[in-house]
Amino acid sequence: MANHETVRENAPLRTLTPGERFCGWYLLKSAQTATTSGGKPYLSFRLSDNSGELPAKLWDYAGPITSLDAGQAVWASGRVDSYQNQPQLVADNLRLADGTDEIDLSRLVPTAPRDAQRMLDYVEQTLRSLADADYRGVCLTLLERHREDFARLPGAMLLHHAFLHGLLMHTATMMHQADFFARLYSDIVDRDLLLAAAFLHDIGKLTEFSTSPLGLVSDYSKEGQLLGHLFLGAEEAGQTARELGVPEEKRLLLQHLIVSHHGKAEFGAIEPPKCAEAELLAQIDMIDSRMEMFRTTYLDTPAGEFSRQRVWGLDNQYIYRPAADDPA
Amino acid sequence: MANHETVRENAPLRTLTPGERFCGWYLLKSAQTATTSGGKPYLSFRLSDNSGELPAKLWDYAGPITSLDAGQAVWASGRVDSYQNQPQLVADNLRLADGTDEIDLSRLVPTAPRDAQRMLDYVEQTLRSLADADYRGVCLTLLERHREDFARLPGAMLLHHAFLHGLLMHTATMMHQADFFARLYSDIVDRDLLLAAAFLHDIGKLTEFSTSPLGLVSDYSKEGQLLGHLFLGAEEAGQTARELGVPEEKRLLLQHLIVSHHGKAEFGAIEPPKCAEAELLAQIDMIDSRMEMFRTTYLDTPAGEFSRQRVWGLDNQYIYRPAADDPA
Amino acid sequence: MANHETVRENAPLRTLTPGERFCGWYLLKSAQTATTSGGKPYLSFRLSDNSGELPAKLWDYAGPITSLDAGQAVWASGRVDSYQNQPQLVADNLRLADGTDEIDLSRLVPTAPRDAQRMLDYVEQTLRSLADADYRGVCLTLLERHREDFARLPGAMLLHHAFLHGLLMHTATMMHQADFFARLYSDIVDRDLLLAAAFLHDIGKLTEFSTSPLGLVSDYSKEGQLLGHLFLGAEEAGQTARELGVPEEKRLLLQHLIVSHHGKAEFGAIEPPKCAEAELLAQIDMIDSRMEMFRTTYLDTPAGEFSRQRVWGLDNQYIYRPAADDPA
Amino acid sequence: MANHETVRENAPLRTLTPGERFCGWYLLKSAQTATTSGGKPYLSFRLSDNSGELPAKLWDYAGPITSLDAGQAVWASGRVDSYQNQPQLVADNLRLADGTDEIDLSRLVPTAPRDAQRMLDYVEQTLRSLADADYRGVCLTLLERHREDFARLPGAMLLHHAFLHGLLMHTATMMHQADFFARLYSDIVDRDLLLAAAFLHDIGKLTEFSTSPLGLVSDYSKEGQLLGHLFLGAEEAGQTARELGVPEEKRLLLQHLIVSHHGKAEFGAIEPPKCAEAELLAQIDMIDSRMEMFRTTYLDTPAGEFSRQRVWGLDNQYIYRPAADDPA
Amino acid sequence: MANHETVRENAPLRTLTPGERFCGWYLLKSAQTATTSGGKPYLSFRLSDNSGELPAKLWDYAGPITSLDAGQAVWASGRVDSYQNQPQLVADNLRLADGTDEIDLSRLVPTAPRDAQRMLDYVEQTLRSLADADYRGVCLTLLERHREDFARLPGAMLLHHAFLHGLLMHTATMMHQADFFARLYSDIVDRDLLLAAAFLHDIGKLTEFSTSPLGLVSDYSKEGQLLGHLFLGAEEAGQTARELGVPEEKRLLLQHLIVSHHGKAEFGAIEPPKCAEAELLAQIDMIDSRMEMFRTTYLDTPAGEFSRQRVWGLDNQYIYRPAADDPA
Amino acid sequence: MANHETVRENAPLRTLTPGERFCGWYLLKSAQTATTSGGKPYLSFRLSDNSGELPAKLWDYAGPITSLDAGQAVWASGRVDSYQNQPQLVADNLRLADGTDEIDLSRLVPTAPRDAQRMLDYVEQTLRSLADADYRGVCLTLLERHREDFARLPGAMLLHHAFLHGLLMHTATMMHQADFFARLYSDIVDRDLLLAAAFLHDIGKLTEFSTSPLGLVSDYSKEGQLLGHLFLGAEEAGQTARELGVPEEKRLLLQHLIVSHHGKAEFGAIEPPKCAEAELLAQIDMIDSRMEMFRTTYLDTPAGEFSRQRVWGLDNQYIYRPAADDPA
């Protein structure tokens, strides 16, 4: 067939279909060496880019690439096959990137759908707008200390916002909501406290996560596993507040909002929310996390249909994407 | 003491203190006839107005007022005593209102802290703004059918919004939030669907509640107990949509949002939320209910202190009201 | 071996053993196209009949049959192999039925172990025996409207009564139990209400399920997933009762029994059972569902032994089939 | 008033109304000595008969009756008063029965609504009808050993069948159900096993309960609290089966049905039911317990109304007693 | 009666019986002003000493003592009465202690049954025996900083060790157990880590509790309620470790053991125990807490009997105190 | 490569690496006959010894070894391959041991890390040291009856102590702890009762387990599944106590400690622990089970790292093995 003649270069993985040929730079997600029943070695691996990922095989391959190279960029070429009704790549070539290769990394790893610099500006300007100098001081001190990591880190390992700038996008969206609710319930909510805590609530994730060479979260750190990001964030915010001479009442409130932002002990909260701002913070964290899971589920679900799989993070339900309105 | 000479007329109950004398119109919350160890009959009862309620005694009283008169307006006079460190009224006179009495009912029953007509106008104008004629039609039809009850009914029997116009206030606030979130997540949320369902979500409460003579919810109706307001609301909205010829997809979505707005089966949801609008509706219902419980808890809690009692509706926690900021 | 010479035609799949040859009509349960490590296409599929199902392979096969043909009748021939100690079919021929084939469908799909017409007659006669004209009217109206589907549909997708006429068999058995309990507890149970609701309780499944070409349940419908069969059944029964002028008390009771027949919110009940008939209906639904799961588990379990697998629907336990009594 | 002149003798407590005078024999349910604020001693106690119970006071009383006399029959006279809208007795005389008093005990304690001898005959005849000599032997041996207690004991301390012959009535009704289900599911159920276990299932309660002088359950025994009636019954049935030379398979099945008849570990089952007979036994125990709770709830609930209190044993719900049908 | 003539002075409250007269110093546990139905003021209060507590009344009393004086020592005299089968004090005199009174406070408040100084010596010597200078340094630093409070504070407000030196006794007993288990499981347990954390585990309670004038815990502090003693203890231990230059691995382990010592999230653990020492620490904390509840329950339970009340902290069970062995 | 020339004989499986050749005696853990896509039969099996287990293949193999031979010793030879980054054996020879082979069984099955005879001596001497002749009598009677099985059996099928003498090791360690706690809490704990029950608590496992030819637990027995080891142990201990004329109080206590030693109904306890000894027994059973799981988890976890897998028996957590201290 004619399309066998053409080779698509650097094509998004999601767009490849059985019968096509491909070549280009991708992320080596994982790799396993194996042997066929006939005793021949081969490599079973997965490639990913910012559009998705695909399984792949390289027959008669004895190295040097192994599972230890996971997380690196590779050059691969071959054809697209089909296995169990899903596309599978059969490579004929595979090598690691070296220092001389010029690779557009933004193509390889998933990235937030919004502009990172604009989000960072919004966060900083909003913090500078806080009327309360104590809350403002703690936030700006921590923003200065962690600016680069804060702007780059994903929001989670798997469930939601698992892309570059994910933590920033999640934080900025929550601050937007915090501002709305502080106005809506202005009789019982302190805007400065709620906005400061919205900024700080996941700051402990900067310590909780280990990141891969290309910037994605690859694992939890030892501190993250032994203490958790709620503890880590509240400890650092508390220490900073003490150094800045913040009054005890305000320091305690900031720490309380951080340690309670998972809402219930069963979801990891150290204490349940005990004031209106703490309650709101836990609720808007929940809302933005779940809306992001709806967003990514919809990407794989045609309008008017249910998701093909149950979605673990959404109470393990099949999710329905409503049919788009007909124009008229 | 001098203040024994004065009689405070129609004083808010919350303001009465031991040693004062009182007279005026109040709501008879409950009443029980009893007999002292000496064999003399008396009446043990509770009076309420829109500021709170107090226990009361009328010694040597054999009627005609009994427990059957609960929910009516009464004229009472007497002195304020103290029992277990709390004020208690000792009446010397008590009679039911008759047709000739002119009573300001708004003083007797708790009423929403915002203007009912303005809230109703907001709801109606927002519904008229819906771009989708189907959703708009269902909502306006039901608003016309139930306008008076909808505007007057409390939002619940006990937990939150348990005052006149409470359902309207709760609905209007949720529509305000719905509008905000429809913009924030416009890529995955249909504004018309979310706003329509925010209006409709508690419409079944009009059938679920029985109301007392003065308009407060006194009990659940038989239909309310046997079927629940989620079922009742979705049944009526579905029937109306069929009569108006609304396409099946839209009717199902409206019904789904109504039956899922309690979020989880354990909280009474018939199905869990399965699309982004359903998820948001359940979340903002939760937020507004809990914020209202914080608001009323704060009314009885000095700034910088914890609530005297655990608050059942807020996960049975002691609630903290943050200290107000010092001026400067 | 001699048995290689013989070809068993239309043999029940459960009776095939490794080494035999087979041919005949079967149901194509599922199919997946795939490629061997050597690059050759093949079809991995499952055949079923009313005795069970088996995995199968067709090597060197590139179509035209694909996963889209699942649910259709096919002609297949080949030999019986063994894989992981279980029989596996290796086909040499496979084609779809066309209009000219004469196929005994009753052999292909699992069917209730009792006569459908006799069960339907029992249901109808019992409904005609109801003394209460209101309950009788609602039931007979719905029986007329749905007679064909009601008599044919399985009782569930997977767990129990997942065969043709399964819903009918489940309903008839429950009505038999309802009759017994109405006599046993005649002082507190209204026979007509209990029998009517036993007939109606799963009527919403007619809307909840999507069925495959040959009549089995292949999926849940959109309405089923968004509203659930308890809601759908109670909505339709309520609408019918209103049209027939049934008094409100009776309509509410019918609807209450339908919406509560799963017993507890965690099992999907919209309200818990609140009268004796509702309680009984939920209990006998549970009993018949579980007895049917014991029946099918016993089919695969030798007497005196435990089931090979945990049975998910029976609290995920290993089930014991007691040893048969010795004759004497 | 005229009715003050009349004294009602041995009137059922449920029928007494404020203003009447009473005298007669009742059961002293409980008693507490106390002192008024004026320093005078009095007795606060409760009287009961088979119609219900009432609170009572005896002013200026210093003994000899104290809390230690609870559970005995007493002669009391006085007038009926009202306290918190409920009748309360004010006695002027109270003494313990002595050997010379002739008292109709059946009036004092609640008794099963069905004839004890007929129920006992049914149980015995049914056991004699068992085809399996092993199961029959175990049952008849235990019936002989415990006949008197078995026929007299209540079925529970509080929740259901808490009256004389309650255990017998509960057992007989369950055997009736067992017989029905053994026929209905004859393909998977062994009638003899199910009936034998229905008879034996609560036999451990004979050891678990302590009884009061007049035959009601007053407490759990030490054995009952340390081991529970499931263990005790299965231990005794197992020991008896061993002595009679019952084959191990049958002994194990009998014991399994006894230890699993509470269905789930959270309800006290030692193992969950693992064969069809065990499942059925647990289900019909549940049904009869709950139907009895409906029966007693209905006694205090007018037709067409909800129970005044939540019913703890029925999932803590308000229970609805359906409106009786209109005659015509 | 003769015993009316005698007045028992400073008698333990547990030993007073109705009919006796009393006088002496006691702790005012709580107080409420009230008015009789005749309009006369009185004081309803509770007195306690280290043997228990009793309700009391002082008729015709208008002050100056009120609820605000709770927690102070008072002189009281009067007679012992009986109310609801329990002793009740009727006072004729009541006054607050002033500076000139010489009161043996150890009689007034419950105190640990073991010698405080010996326990403190054991703790300090054991800490000095730690081989690891880092762990030893953190512990001795915190012991120095908090020695007085640590030695004096109760272990809890209500459930267990709610007496002076309770925290010390609980800590010392746990260190004794830690030493035993470190030897028993020496292949997987670091003795120094386990002993250090046993000392530190409740150090956050020094901040979590508010104490009454006489040293008992009267309430949770604001920090205690907003952050909890696990967070507070781990924050302070972590800060101290950083100041002493303890290696990060050891600091993290100490903090992990503190934040996980409640075992599960549902019991308040911030993270579950993830190493053997953390697991052991959580287990021995549980053991010592529960053994102490058994000890105090046994104080009120005769041998061979069950506790009169369910014990909330012991899974809400009735507790059995085994019969003492017969001597021989 | 040179190491292809060498054949390692009876090498511990855990030490084999891809590329080596092996031969020796191993345990056949499981086996499955299968057919390749080319139609050739082969055997897929697992070998184990006391160091671990490995998957294996024997190509072109049609018998006689099948799944029925699982649990027997086999002679195998071949080479070590790699599959999915894990070692996999490819055998060229496989035969069952016969009577003439001399095999060191201790190499084939996992065995307790401590000397069995010394542990057995400790248990027996401790039991002989009991002051109470009744408890001592029951224990020694049961030790005599089951000595061989008791000393040999594993402690569980999978989770912990799943090696020869595992039950003995678990029991001896618990008796050691019991002795410690009986001294620590001597005011409320009866040493003889606690030690006797520590010995008896798992005695029912001798009946609950089925064992394989080489002594490991291969399955649960019918009695084990239908009644559970708590019931079986308490039944046998009770029967023995009755035969020895042990007073009822002591028999009940022994039985109570056995039936409650899983702590909570959800963990299988028949009754919750109701006296101090029962509480301690449940706690130390938990401690020793979990410490053993930590021990085996650490075997596969490098110091300073987390376990590669979640550990199911330890609340499904990743477990951390602390970094060893630096020498210095």
Side-chain angles (χ1 to χ4, degrees), chain D residues 230 259-271, chain F residues 265 269-271:
Chain D
L230 275 66
V259 304
S260 68
H261 86 264
H262 281 186
K264 303 194 174 187
E266 61 191 279
F267 303 146
I270 294 177
E271 289 288 331
Chain F
I270 294 177
E271 289 288 331

Side-chain angles (χ1 to χ4, degrees), chain E residues 10-28:
Chain E
N10 286 331
L13 291 174
R14 188 190 290 266
T15 68
L16 291 177
T17 55
E20 295 186 307
R21 297 196 63 83
F22 73 96
C23 69
W25 292 104
Y26 296 99
L27 179 65
L28 184 71

Side-chain angles (χ1 to χ4, degrees), chain B residues 222 225-226 249 256 274, chain C residues 222 225-226 249 256 274:
Chain B
K222 188 187 295 184
Q225 290 193 275
L226 293 180
E249 171 85 9
H256 175 64
K274 296 185 174 175
Chain C
K222 188 187 295 184
Q225 291 197 73
L226 292 179
E249 169 86 10
H256 175 64
K274 295 186 174 173

